[in-house]
Amino acid sequence: MASKTEELRQRVLSEIEGVRSVKALSELKVAYLGKNGAIKALLRGMKDIPAENRAEFGKAVNELSDDVSALFEQKEAALKKKELQEKFASQAVDITLPGKRPLSGGLHPLTIVKNKIIDAFIGMGFEIFEGPEIDSDYYCFQALNIPKDHPARDMQDTFYFTDNILLRPHTSPGQVRSMEKGKLPIKILSPGRVYRADDDASHSPMFHQIEGLVVDKGVSLCDLKGLLDEFVRVIFDGDTETRFRPSYFPFTEPSVEVDVTCCKCHGKGCGLCKGTGWIEILGAGVVNKNVLKMSGIDPDIYSGLAFGLGIERVTMIKYGIPDIRTLFESNLKFLEQFDRR
Ligand code: DAH
């Protein structure tokens, strides 16, 4: 008799042992402790047991029922704990992993440099004056002392719409338009896109220039030197120097080309500056009297200074960029290297 309950106890023990989930355990619990379960079946078999043994058998079955209930409870608690631990482990976050930063936008290097240049000149009292990108032969050439058939027209390969309408090849027409307004003195900066039929590692068909013009009484080449020294100090660093080399532009007389000490070798001579220690950065000069006259300014009373620089060129020198085209390829690997603020 006792062997029946004992046998059931062993079976329950070994089956509970093998259970791996709370769900399977509750099914097993029904099979043993439920209304139609194995333990109740034992009680139902009581009638077949000799009367003198019934009390003992009943006691053994009750004990078994209590023990099995306790076993199920223990096992259920253990399984629940294990399942919770597994859930936590599967949801665990490794806080030592590097985070994924959202991609944030930033300013293009040309915009960074343009803003720096504008800031430098605004600090010296300049105002922004913007001209049109599609302009006339008069503003782009004639009013700048470059008449038709003048050899200086070959200095730029211009895109023409008609004989008279063209994509401006430089920002110098901004000088003429600001002088025509008739308000003196003038101290303007004219930034914008310019276009030329030219395309290689150092030329792009579209690029950016900034034109500067000062017209006042007694303006001279010395003022130009002072302005450009300050500009170079802000854009490069305090040690960068400028030098003027005589040059030729139809709209300035005298004309100069301005060099800065090479930012890579600081004047010692390297591959970037071709061993000279200097890099050409812009063209400038004293405004040609003809140009003042054509725009209605009396050159006996007023004089002017002008300069024109390429933003791409300054950017390439400042950051050591060998090919202008990288500035227009929208390659994030390249662009992300710059100060993104
Ligand atoms: N316009 C010239 C160019 O595109 C640059 C330049 C040179 C502008 C001398 C000036 C200047 O105002 O004085 O090459």
Side-chain angles (χ1 to χ4, degrees):
M1 228 62 68
S3 69
K4 264 198 173 172
T5 53
E6 218 25 59
E7 192 190 307
L8 196 59
R9 181 188 299 273
Q10 291 312 320
R11 223 168 76 206
V12 175
L13 273 176
S14 85
E15 283 194 42
I16 284 186
E17 178 74 27
V19 171
R20 293 279 167 266
S21 73
V22 175
K23 190 166 169 270
L25 186 74
S26 81
E27 282 163 14
L28 193 66
K29 190 172 172 185
V30 172
Y32 283 102
L33 291 170
K35 256 195 275 164
N36 300 317
I39 293 178
K40 287 276 183 314
L42 280 182
L43 287 176
R44 274 196 296 277
M46 192 90 111
K47 58 183 183 324
D48 304 327
I49 293 184
E52 66 272 23
N53 293 336
R54 276 187 197 155
E56 193 195 331
F57 181 71
K59 199 170 156 236
V61 173
N62 282 338
E63 266 177 27
L64 175 67
S65 177
D66 290 348
D67 291 352
V68 168
S69 293
L71 276 174
F72 272 107
E73 257 167 50
Q74 277 170 21
K75 181 73 180 187
E76 190 179 340
L79 281 176
K80 277 194 173 150
K81 193 173 164 197
K82 194 170 143 259
E83 283 182 7
L84 205 59
Q85 279 168 346
E86 280 168 4
K87 187 172 157 203
F88 287 156
S90 73
Q91 292 175 353
V93 174
D94 182 352
I95 56 162
T96 63
L97 281 175
K100 282 187 195 148
R101 276 177 196 278
L103 201 62
S104 64
L107 296 178
H108 190 279
L110 289 175
T111 310
I112 296 171
V113 171
K114 180 180 97 177
N115 291 347
K116 278 201 164 117
I117 297 173
I118 288 177
D119 280 356
F121 283 105
I122 291 221
M124 294 186 269
F126 281 71
E127 283 174 34
I128 301 295
F129 179 90
E130 282 179 296
E133 286 177 31
I134 297 174
D135 213 339
S136 68
D137 189 274
Y138 175 77
Y139 284 107
C140 292
F141 295 120
Q142 293 171 48
L144 289 163
N145 201 33
I146 318 175
K148 288 225 187 261
D149 304 323
H150 190 286
R153 289 209 179 202
D154 297 341
M155 286 163 83
Q156 290 119 0
D157 288 311
T158 307
F159 291 113
Y160 284 89
F161 293 108
T162 68
D163 279 355
N164 191 37
I165 306 295
L166 45 107
L167 281 171
R168 64 176 177 195
H170 53 183
T171 43
S172 301
Q175 293 187 28
V176 181
R177 288 180 180 277
S178 68
M179 286 190 284
E180 272 187 348
K181 291 207 170 275
K183 251 184 78 190
L184 289 161
I186 296 170
K187 210 169 179 187
I188 57 112
L189 209 59
S190 192
R193 292 191 196 100
V194 298
Y195 302 85
R196 290 184 199 177
D198 222 349
D199 193 6
D200 60 36
S202 43
H203 299 92
S204 162
M206 186 285 299
F207 62 105
H208 302 79
Q209 284 189 336
I210 297 186
E211 189 79 13
L213 176 70
V214 179
V215 179
D216 204 347
K217 290 175 183 158
V219 170
S220 75
L221 212 56
C222 293
D223 300 304
L224 180 66
K225 179 91 165 98
L227 282 174
L228 296 181
D229 279 349
E230 172 63 8
F231 148 71
V232 159
R233 193 188 60 73
V234 176
I235 300 304
F236 298 103
D237 57 43
D239 299 333
T240 307
E241 287 175 39
T242 58
R243 79 171 179 189
F244 283 2
R245 261 184 305 107
S247 184
Y248 170 75
F249 297 103
F251 29 91
T252 42
E253 181 58 39
S255 300
V256 292
E257 258 163 338
V258 181
D259 297 340
V260 290
T261 38
C262 177
C263 47
K264 197 167 167 202
C265 65
H266 300 286
K268 287 188 199 81
C270 69
L272 185 66
C273 58
K274 299 192 183 84
T276 62
W278 295 94
I279 295 183
E280 184 208 320
I281 189 159
L282 56 88
V286 172
V287 180
N288 191 307
K289 289 188 175 187
N290 286 338
V291 173
L292 293 176
K293 248 190 267 172
M294 276 187 276
S295 292
I297 294 174
D298 184 346
D300 293 330
I301 304 175
Y302 287 95
S303 56
L305 59 85
F307 56 89
L309 59 88
I311 302 179
E312 281 77 3
R313 182 158 178 81
V314 175
T315 307
M316 289 164 78
I317 294 169
K318 182 172 167 61
Y319 294 114
I321 299 167
D323 191 325
I324 194 169
R325 289 166 291 206
T326 42
L327 290 167
F328 302 114
E329 281 167 353
S330 302
N331 177 352
L332 282 182
K333 285 229 160 58
F334 168 75
L335 296 173
E336 277 167 353
Q337 299 173 76
F338 298 89
D339 182 357
R340 308 278 290 160
R341 276 165 295 150

